[in-house]
Amino acid sequence: MRHTLLEKAYKTNELTKAEITFLLETITPEEREILYSKALKTKQAYYGNKVYLRGLIEFSNICRQDCLYCGIRASNTKVKRYRLTPGEILACCDQGYELGYRTFVLQSGEDLWYTEEMLSALIHQIKRRYYPEVAITLSIGERSAETYQSLFVSGADRFLMRHETAVPKLYETLHPTMRFENRRACLNTLQEIGYQVGAGFMVGLPGQTPADLAEDLCFLQELHPDMIGIGPFIPHSQTPLGSEKGGTLEDTLVMVALTRLLIPDSLIPATTALGTLHPLGRELALKAGANVLMPIITPTSVRKQYALYENKICGDDHPEDCRYCIERRIQAVGLEVDLGRGDSWRFISKA
Ligand code: SAM
């Protein structure tokens, strides 16, 4: 039965919620390996052996939201806060460009100090003045439709905003200051504006069931985003979920691989959280269908303060260390670095 379901997912890219739930509840270690190899083949059919790199700039750890799992939540008074100035962010882009990156991901907590005008001017400077060939990805959380529109007009190409979990009740328990319907509305608005959109979720959240994870995949099949970030939940001791169990490597890899089979043309990063959970977590994700890596180019002076969870890897590394470490890791699993913009298959085929 499970073999038939894996074959069905591979051949048709479709499974029902009940079928996904059944697979997640019963999959054996041997079947997991079959799933990973089918996901790798599917990835290769769309993207070959290429792995795209994105230079990640974590430009502020100040956040107005209070997500129960997150180390930079507003209520965490122990974290030392920082903001990079537009000039400092530009300096990161210069360094990233030198290292060969052609996508910059500007990520932060929800920090309204960076107004629409400031962000527009910054995007305009990076994109129009210095580096017209790069793609700019924003990951700054929830803003108004008008702001999303104006940042797009200024030159932003992509927007990452994980839906975190597609189960509204669980979402609202974990995000006391937020509503799932608003998250969904933001993702829909971003798609309507014309961004390449990234959604995604955490695996192993407290109270999350196999049926909840199946719901994430159904949600993604309907939304059909360009990118899908999947990482294990990792507890942070300075949060209300500090003593909960985190997500496992195996469960996260299974979700990466199933996502590849069900939304086959998406870009899927091998996440830093997976690399934190296991020394070879990102390599294993690449072999289970992931095709993007996001080396950090945040200045080393503030890196450790962007502590969404504890023991995050690469805290002391310099951007050039990350660049070459990542390249070695990609080559070690027989894949190739691609330093192009790395647009999604869906975006390219629409263009
Ligand atoms: N504020 C933006 C947003 O809401 O999209 C981007 C920054 S947010 C901190 C980046 C991602 O970190 C979240 O989407 C969440 O999935 C992940 N994250 C936060 N805390 C985490 C934890 N304890 N374990 C694993 N991932 C975590």
Side-chain angles (χ1 to χ4, degrees), residues 69-72 107-110 139-141 160-162 164 183 202 232-234 273 306 308-309:
Y69 47 81
C70 186
I72 62 166
Q107 189 177 86
S108 67
E110 283 200 19
S139 179
I140 56 172
L160 295 184
M161 188 162 62
R162 290 185 179 178
E164 314 294 2
R183 198 74 168 176
M202 278 176 282
F233 156 62
I234 303 180
Y306 199 78
L308 311 178
Y309 43 84

Side-chain angles (χ1 to χ4, degrees), residues 293-305:
L293 275 166
M294 296 177 40
I296 303 173
I297 50 175
T298 310
T300 316
S301 56
V302 293
R303 250 180 214 220
K304 284 194 173 148
Q305 289 156 244

Side-chain angles (χ1 to χ4, degrees), residues 17-307:
K17 181 174 172 191
E19 288 170 334
I20 303 168
T21 308
F22 174 73
L23 258 184
L24 295 177
E25 280 170 343
T26 58
I27 194 163
T28 64
E30 182 200 299
E31 289 158 351
R32 280 203 298 256
E33 295 305 320
I34 297 171
L35 168 65
Y36 301 156
S37 77
K38 286 187 188 304
L40 180 60
K41 272 196 202 151
T42 303
K43 191 276 298 269
Q44 282 164 332
Y46 283 85
Y47 294 100
N49 276 336
K50 291 174 183 166
V51 178
Y52 301 116
L53 301 188
R54 317 322 198 173
L56 175 63
I57 306 168
E58 299 150 326
F59 66 90
S60 164
N61 70 351
I62 295 177
C63 192
R64 66 182 170 139
Q65 304 292 4
D66 221 13
C67 313
L68 295 195
Y69 47 81
C70 186
I72 62 166
R73 67 198 299 266
S75 298
N76 185 6
T77 51
K78 297 204 176 113
V79 65
K80 197 168 154 215
R81 304 285 174 172
Y82 72 91
R83 283 185 177 121
L84 300 186
T85 62
E88 288 169 321
I89 299 172
L90 267 174
C92 292
C93 294
D94 288 339
Q95 196 175 12
Y97 191 87
E98 282 296 304
L99 291 170
Y101 301 130
R102 294 297 178 266
T103 292
F104 300 132
V105 180
L106 307 185
Q107 189 177 86
S108 67
E110 283 200 19
D111 184 357
L112 300 182
W113 183 80
Y114 298 89
T115 59
E116 180 183 313
E117 292 69 30
M118 267 172 88
L119 290 170
S120 288
L122 175 66
I123 293 163
H124 201 273
Q125 249 193 320
I126 301 172
K127 189 68 192 275
R128 309 242 187 262
R129 187 149 158 221
Y130 293 113
Y131 306 124
E133 76 275 34
V134 302
I136 296 184
T137 305
L138 298 175
S139 179
I140 56 172
E142 297 183 11
R143 299 262 179 148
S144 68
E146 293 70 34
T147 298
Y148 288 151
Q149 175 70 42
S150 123
L151 300 179
F152 184 73
V153 170
S154 299
D157 304 89
R158 307 180 185 141
F159 204 105
L160 295 184
M161 188 162 62
R162 290 185 179 178
H163 65 277
E164 314 294 2
T165 167
V167 178
K169 198 159 169 268
L170 180 58
Y171 184 93
E172 281 153 30
T173 306
L174 296 170
H175 305 94
T177 50
M178 298 159 94
R179 289 284 164 270
F180 181 70
E181 276 318 312
N182 197 45
R183 198 74 168 176
R184 187 208 295 270
C186 286
L187 288 165
N188 292 337
T189 302
L190 290 162
Q191 280 183 327
E192 280 158 22
I193 291 172
Y195 284 95
Q196 290 183 62
V197 170
F201 57 97
M202 278 176 282
V203 178
L205 289 164
Q208 191 181 43
T209 64
D212 294 343
L213 288 167
E215 188 63 37
D216 283 311
L217 295 185
C218 295
F219 174 82
L220 289 166
Q221 280 187 296
E222 202 185 315
L223 182 73
H224 203 143
D226 298 274
M227 297 165 273
I228 301 173
I230 304 164
F233 156 62
I234 303 180
H236 187 301
S237 63
Q238 288 159 12
T239 66
L241 304 182
S243 51
E244 296 287 340
K245 260 176 47 194
T248 66
L249 175 71
E250 289 75 18
D251 288 349
T252 310
L253 292 174
V254 164
M255 294 312 294
V256 166
L258 274 177
T259 300
R260 171 59 67 201
L261 293 188
L262 298 181
I263 304 102
D265 57 1
S266 54
L267 293 161
I268 304 180
T271 54
T272 307
L274 257 177
T276 300
L277 203 60
H278 186 282
L280 295 177
R282 288 171 296 176
E283 287 89 328
L284 292 168
L286 292 175
K287 288 171 82 179
N291 64 334
V292 173
L293 275 166
M294 296 177 40
I296 303 173
I297 50 175
T298 310
T300 316
S301 56
V302 293
R303 250 180 214 220
K304 284 194 173 148
Q305 289 156 244
Y306 199 78

Side-chain angles (χ1 to χ4, degrees), residues 53 95-96 98-99 101 282 293-300 303 313-330 337:
L53 301 188
Q95 196 175 12
E98 282 296 304
L99 291 170
Y101 301 130
R282 288 171 296 176
L293 275 166
M294 296 177 40
I296 303 173
I297 50 175
T298 310
T300 316
R303 250 180 214 220
I313 49 173
C314 311
D316 290 316
D317 297 350
H318 288 278
E320 57 272 26
D321 302 331
C322 289
R323 164 77 177 79
Y324 297 107
C325 161
I326 291 274
E327 184 157 346
R328 280 194 299 277
R329 287 171 182 271
I330 292 170
V337 171

